[in-house]
Amino acid sequence: QLQLQESGPGLVKPSETLSLTCTVSGGSISSSSYYWGWIRQPPGRGLEWIGNIYYSGNTYYNPSLKSRVTISVDTSKNHFSLKLSSVTAADTAVYYCARRCSSTTCYLNAFDIWGRGTMVTVSS
Amino acid sequence: QTVVTQEPSFSVSPGGTVTLTCGLSSGSVSTNNYPTWYQQTPGQAPRTLIYSTNTRSSGVPGRFSGSILGNKAALTITGAQADDESDYYCVLYMGSGIVVFGGGTKLTVV
């Protein structure tokens, strides 16, 4: 059974770069049927899509975050990563990684498997 | 910038029927937006209920259904139960790999 697990610092200082990794277990990240993505949720607020990456390295970003976001993939380690630069308190959130279907053979365009989420606080 | 609109809150009686909607700040929602609905309870990751407008995910009870109503996507719960009390999010595909989450609807079953 495929599982996703986020990891990374829980506290980041303002103006620094937030870095998280999502490790995929129980399956391969090199599947042509899926994107791999990041979603965040500030405390008490709604979900926000950050971006997706395909195993080939093609990326798709939320236009409102695009200037600060980099998502990368390492197929040899079966994981993908998020970097968000110049963070402020507004970036404090639970960050989820998730698998998103890109094929009619699965839940097309749906995030069907999620990690448990990791809380990241931006504070000095 | 595209905004996906949802009712902030809704209330339904146990056994009742409720329809939550998902619209666009500009334009109409269609099947080409592949409307997807998620259910989230506090402290948990979201769970996929409906994808591609009206297809239930595996294990989702039949009381949940999705559709297009007028110019919006809709999630209908028929025969609401106490454990349906959750936050519900819709997501629309906008093309070029981009998806947008709605602000979510907090459903109360009372």
Side-chain angles (χ1 to χ4, degrees):
Chain A
Q1 182 179 353
L2 189 132
Q3 293 184 321
L4 306 179
Q5 177 67 59
E6 305 89 350
S7 59
L11 181 64
V12 181
K13 290 182 168 54
S15 79
E16 295 190 345
T17 296
L18 179 159
S19 296
L20 296 173
T21 295
C22 181
T23 300
V24 179
S25 59
S28 174
I29 202 169
S30 299
S31 168
S32 60
S33 296
Y34 298 99
Y35 301 107
W36 305 91
W38 292 95
I39 301 102
R40 69 180 183 178
Q41 186 170 35
R45 299 185 62 184
L47 297 159
E48 179 180 34
W49 175 68
I50 299 171
N52 288 352
I53 191 164
Y54 203 48
Y55 77 97
S56 61
N58 288 351
T59 52
Y60 309 86
Y61 297 136
N62 183 328
S64 68
L65 298 170
K66 186 174 183 177
S67 64
R68 299 195 292 131
V69 173
T70 302
I71 298 176
S72 58
V73 64
D74 187 332
T75 55
S76 67
K77 296 182 179 178
N78 222 38
H79 74 207
F80 61 106
S81 300
L82 168 70
K83 291 188 185 301
L84 181 66
S85 64
S86 304
V87 297
T88 69
D91 295 309
T92 294
V94 174
Y95 285 76
Y96 294 99
C97 61
R99 186 180 78 168
R100 178 179 152 200
C101 170
S102 63
S103 164
T104 55
T105 62
C106 52
Y107 299 174
L108 182 57
N109 275 313
F111 294 99
D112 61 348
I113 297 178
W114 296 64
R116 297 178 72 171
T118 187
M119 181 69 200
V120 178
T121 301
V122 178
S123 175
S124 55
Chain B
Q1 184 173 346
T2 301
V3 176
V4 176
T5 60
Q6 295 184 249
E7 299 87 357
S9 63
F10 231 117
S11 183
V12 63
S13 300
T17 296
V18 63
T19 297
L20 311 183
T21 68
C22 174
L24 283 170
S25 56
S26 177
S28 299
V29 177
S30 76
T31 55
N32 292 329
N33 295 119
Y34 298 94
T36 306
W37 292 90
Y38 300 90
Q39 178 190 49
Q40 187 184 35
T41 53
Q44 300 296 316
R47 164 200 182 197
T48 310
L49 292 176
I50 301 287
Y51 65 98
S52 295
T53 305
N54 56 14
T55 305
R56 273 191 300 277
S57 300
S58 177
V60 173
R63 64 180 182 274
F64 292 93
S65 62
S67 63
I68 299 289
L69 287 180
N71 61 351
K72 296 183 178 182
L75 173 70
T76 299
I77 307 173
T78 304
Q81 299 183 3
D83 60 3
D84 295 335
E85 186 162 295
S86 302
D87 294 327
Y88 292 86
Y89 292 91
C90 77
V91 179
L92 300 179
Y93 177 66
M94 304 307 297
S96 302
I98 293 174
V99 294
V100 181
F101 279 81
T105 297
K106 185 177 184 63
L107 181 67
T108 303
V109 181
V110 290

